[in-house]
């Protein structure tokens, strides 16, 4: 199993965006991916490929959220 490293976070975010999806932190503890409501099968396939290539990343949740917030990709919750 592939396990994502902290130094892979910028490349992961870039790959998601370049595949046509958005990624943003939600508050201080979560992030989400979104794309066109009716994404073409090729985009979804690219997203799945990106997810597999970067691998397991649950252990980096707070680091991914922090990176997204630092780069203006966040939605604050009040």
């Amino acid at each position: 199993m592939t396990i994502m490293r902290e130094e892979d976070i910028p490349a992961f975010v870039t790959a998601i965006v370049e595949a046509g999806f958005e990624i943003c932190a939600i508050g201080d503890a979560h992030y989400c991916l979104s794309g066109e409501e009716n994404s073409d099968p090729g985009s979804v396939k690219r997203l799945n490929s990106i997810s597999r290539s970067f691998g397991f990343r649950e252990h980096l949740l707070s680091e991914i959220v922090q990176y997204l917030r630092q780069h203006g990709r966040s939605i604050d919750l009040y």
Side-chain angles (χ1 to χ4, degrees), residues 5-74:
R5 300 168 302 161
E6 187 171 351
E7 56 265 24
D8 296 330
I9 293 172
F12 171 71
V13 171
T14 298
I16 295 294
V17 172
E18 287 179 352
F21 292 84
E22 286 299 319
I23 180 170
C24 93
I26 306 296
D28 292 326
H30 303 283
Y31 72 92
C32 70
L33 304 174
S34 65
E36 294 296 318
E37 196 166 310
N38 296 315
S39 296
D40 67 273
S43 293
V44 173
K45 195 173 189 177
R46 284 190 301 277
L47 181 61
N48 289 336
S49 177
I50 291 164
S51 183
R52 280 191 306 276
S53 69
F54 282 93
F56 181 78
R57 58 193 166 276
E58 195 80 18
H59 62 290
L60 295 174
L61 179 60
S62 63
E63 289 86 351
I64 294 169
V65 167
Q66 180 182 9
Y67 178 85
L68 293 169
R69 292 184 64 76
Q70 288 172 346
H71 289 85
R73 294 184 165 276
S74 62

